Amino acid sequence: MSYTIALAGNPNSGKTTLFNALTGSHQYVGNWPGVTVEKKTGEYKKDTSIFFTDLPGIYSLSPYTLEEVVSRDYLLNEKPDAIINVVDASNIERNLYLTTQLLELGIPTVLALNMMDVVRKNKDRIDVAKLERDLGCKIVEISALKNENIDTLVNEAVRLSQKPAQLSFSEGVENFLSEIETMVPGLKSNPANRFLVVKLFELDSKIMDHYQLDKGEREKLQAIADRADAMYDDDTEGIITDERYTNITAIVGGAVKKGQTGLSTSDKIDKIVTNRFLALPIFIAIMTCIYYIAIGVVGGPVTDWVNDSLFGGVISESATAFLEGMAVAPWLVSLIVDGIIGGVGGVLGFLPIIATLFLLISILEDVGYMARIAFILDKIFRRFGLSGKSFIPILIGTGCSVPGIIGTRTIENDNDRRMTIAVAAFMPCGAKTEIIAMFAAVLGGAFWYGPLWYFGGIVAVIITGIMLKKTKRFHGDPAPFVMELPQYHFPSIVNCLKATWTRCKAFIVKAGTVILLCTVAIWVLQNISVHGEFVSWESDSVDSLLSFIGKKIAWIFAPLGFGEWKAAVATVLGLVAKEVVVGTYGVVAGLGEVGADDPGLVPLIQQNFNTVSILAFMFFNQLTIPCFAAMGAIRSEMNDNKWFLFTVGYQIAFSYTIALMIYQFGRVLVLNQPATVWTGIAFVILIGYIYFLFRPNKYKDLRTVQVRSVKE
């Protein structure tokens, strides 16, 4: 007989850490809202008959965001055998609001007081026995991070069979709830009747639709709500919120004693790193340092050794010698060595840079600094129409655009959410970092080169936010941003390595699947002529299918400065996956045969690019549609073909025009080349951008009803 336990709790309460400890999985753990936006299920590693479902972190069971809808629907419809309510014990008062709702569902519930190590460190004291009596449910003290008391928690959850007690509200509110319970048939027999009655009192439209209330019953509910409004001078949702916090304040006041007074260590650090004048310079300095270490330090000797000595030398030479020794046909040797090893090896050669970048960012996430960045940038983003809530998906997108796009589910307002989806891919993900690293060697490892793309992505987000917020479709104030900042702590080596491995694994898997297929396809196109004959690739003078196609589409990119056919082919194939851009160059340059005196990747780039066209090429690839997987995520999250086409079209037009201006102005101002008709077109486009950025916002004072992501 199987037993299903749901893990429910606030964002950043340690649910996913607990889920990983229970199931042995390696789900990504982050200390901000939106890390878990879909429920995940796993087996208990010590008993395969017990299943755990990790629900998205939520603050309440109100249907305002997709996360809340996912959690609420699961708990009401799937009916797990028990709930483990994960509560951050160091911030217990805020977390207990959700607890009071969970206890009304009629499902056996055990409360996991997580982060007890932090409570002990702060010298706080929690009277657990009193808390159990007041809440009417079993409580277990744990530390998911340090694996403390986890087995006891599971045993208590499995042993539970009794419904938890429910908190009472004031007499007046209880009378209204009794009236509703009597009015709606079938409500008393529902195990979650207390929760449903409260929601009907709040006029929750989803619950009213579920019970198919007729017009007369809805009018009676409205009449009850009107009477309550008159009695308490508040709407029914506000009345219930006030009643819950009255209960919570009384419970916490009697059971929790704070051991520290004054500023904590985290507060003292925050006075510096979130200071209104110092916060942004500190953030820029830290990100510059990270990119310098990843690209300047690791990207030099380590990547050179992996590319030149390992893949370009040892592996290629050994494979060639082995295959030739086996009397394998020359074309097959070329396919394996030049196509597969050269292409995939060219991609994996940049893994040390990407792993270093992921590791350093994971450390910043784990110590709690990146959560502060969302808080810091909220002030800046808000001026341009976006909130810090929009920055979190963008931040997640620095690893991979797909989870960043899905992470927009935390944003309540549909317009803000769609705009965030449109810009979430502007930041350099792992695959784009590989392209950045490819050009870094050409530019001599300048310290500003890596951070340029990171902050360039932020500027692109801001420009888009300003322009779109002045349109009727996207007008309105950004959604309010409320976030609990986690306490600073020393990074967990295990957590940081897990996060780094999870991100690197996705990169390696893609290299072994999509990129492998693409490099093989490129090799075939490169070695088959337009007459259908097999030809050995030597130079672009060979009339291969690849060069034929590349030359036909190269004109599209000529105004951007990379009209050479290899760059055109790499750019178009990069729409499948950005890693293919480097893989294409790996195949075309024949990296598998690179020796000390042979032409390799860097000389090929130096031959086909200059400093200005490198910038244009990079910004086009960074800002354009990221990959097929991200496009699928955009289509899924938009759930509307028109919005999907708008997003794709905007990203293509934005990236093309930005790259056009960079190259056309750069070639005149930096390379001292004469202006052309394309320079004039770029100037007209610049005027257009300036107009859209600085024109008066005629919708500034227009007030419309906020459209939520979840239709009620």
Side-chain angles (χ1 to χ4, degrees), residues 414-457:
D414 256 0
N415 289 341
D416 287 356
R417 184 166 178 261
R418 286 171 178 146
M419 190 159 66
T420 306
I421 290 173
V423 302
F426 282 174
M427 300 299 286
C429 64
K432 292 172 186 173
T433 304
E434 184 183 315
I435 309 174
I436 294 170
M438 183 176 73
F439 286 112
V442 181
L443 294 179
F447 79 92
W448 50 265
Y449 174 72
L452 173 69
W453 309 111
Y454 188 85
F455 295 111

Side-chain angles (χ1 to χ4, degrees), residues 96-411:
L96 287 184
Y97 186 88
L98 176 65
T99 303
T100 62
Q101 290 186 315
L102 293 174
L103 295 177
E104 292 171 353
L105 292 174
I107 301 172
T109 300
V110 58
L111 195 149
L113 272 185
N114 193 23
M115 305 186 194
M116 286 303 295
D117 52 325
V118 177
V119 172
R120 290 192 291 269
K121 183 180 176 183
N122 293 340
K123 298 180 181 178
D124 296 340
R125 286 185 294 119
I126 299 177
D127 187 342
V128 175
K130 184 174 190 317
L131 206 58
E132 279 186 342
R133 288 195 300 273
D134 291 343
L135 289 172
C137 71
K138 181 66 184 175
I139 296 176
V140 179
E141 300 170 70
I142 68 166
S143 171
L145 188 64
K146 298 189 174 181
N147 217 11
E148 290 178 6
N149 242 6
I150 304 298
D151 291 339
T152 305
L153 175 66
V154 177
N155 291 336
E156 290 293 343
V158 172
R159 194 174 59 82
L160 283 177
S161 59
Q162 299 296 320
K163 293 181 182 178
Q166 293 162 350
L167 299 177
S168 297
F169 300 136
S170 63
E171 184 180 352
V173 173
E174 288 293 340
N175 289 337
F176 287 125
L177 298 181
S178 298
E179 196 174 338
I180 293 172
E181 192 175 31
T182 306
M183 187 187 84
V184 180
L187 205 54
K188 287 185 178 179
S189 60
N190 193 313
N193 69 313
R194 176 71 175 186
F195 174 78
L196 296 171
V197 167
V198 172
K199 282 296 163 188
L200 287 174
F201 180 64
E202 293 177 343
L203 302 179
D204 186 309
S205 59
K206 280 183 172 293
I207 301 299
M208 287 195 282
D209 292 342
H210 174 76
Y211 276 94
Q212 298 179 333
L213 299 186
D214 58 29
K215 184 180 177 182
E217 290 168 327
R218 288 173 187 258
E219 288 176 350
K220 287 180 181 177
L221 276 180
Q222 185 62 56
I224 292 173
D226 291 342
R227 280 192 281 131
D229 191 339
M231 181 183 293
Y232 290 91
D233 194 23
D234 199 353
D235 62 26
T236 51
E237 198 169 351
I239 294 169
I240 291 296
T241 300
D242 185 58
E243 293 280 334
R244 290 190 192 281
Y245 273 116
T246 300
N247 275 333
I248 292 168
T249 302
I251 292 170
V252 173
V256 180
K257 302 295 181 190
K258 291 290 183 182
Q260 285 186 342
T261 57
L263 296 178
S264 65
T265 304
S266 289
D267 294 334
K268 292 174 184 173
I269 296 173
D270 277 340
K271 285 180 76 68
I272 299 173
V273 299
T274 61
N275 179 278
R276 59 184 300 189
F277 299 111
L278 298 177
L280 204 53
I282 290 174
F283 172 53
I284 293 172
I286 289 176
M287 294 312 298
T288 301
C289 185
I290 284 178
Y291 272 89
Y292 176 76
I293 293 172
I295 296 177
V297 178
V298 178
V302 178
T303 301
D304 288 348
W305 180 83
V306 174
N307 274 335
D308 300 339
S309 301
L310 184 62
F311 286 106
V314 177
I315 295 178
S316 294
E317 290 170 5
S318 300
T320 302
F322 173 76
L323 294 170
E324 289 180 347
M326 297 290 289
V328 174
W331 69 267
L332 187 55
V333 175
S334 175
L335 170 62
I336 295 173
V337 176
D338 298 337
I340 296 175
I341 297 177
V344 177
V347 173
L348 294 179
F350 293 96
L351 187 58
I353 293 178
I354 294 168
T356 304
L357 194 62
F358 287 163
L359 176 63
L360 296 176
I361 289 178
S362 298
I363 292 172
L364 289 183
E365 292 172 353
D366 205 58
V367 299
Y369 178 70
M370 293 308 264
R372 268 75 182 175
I373 297 305
F375 168 73
I376 294 165
L377 291 183
D378 177 61
K379 297 176 184 174
I380 300 171
F381 274 31
R382 190 164 291 280
R383 295 182 180 180
F384 306 116
L386 291 167
S387 74
K389 219 166 193 178
S390 295
F391 178 70
I392 290 174
I394 293 168
L395 183 65
I396 296 172
T398 55
C400 176
S401 297
V402 174
I405 292 166
I406 297 173
T408 59
R409 294 180 183 186
T410 58
I411 301 171

Side-chain angles (χ1 to χ4, degrees), residues 20 62 207 214 330 368 370 379 389 407 428-429 445 481 525 547 579 613 617 646:
N20 288 342
S62 302
I207 301 299
D214 58 29
M370 293 308 264
K379 297 176 184 174
K389 219 166 193 178
C429 64
F481 179 53
L525 290 171
S547 62
E579 294 91 337
S613 60
F617 182 84
F646 165 80

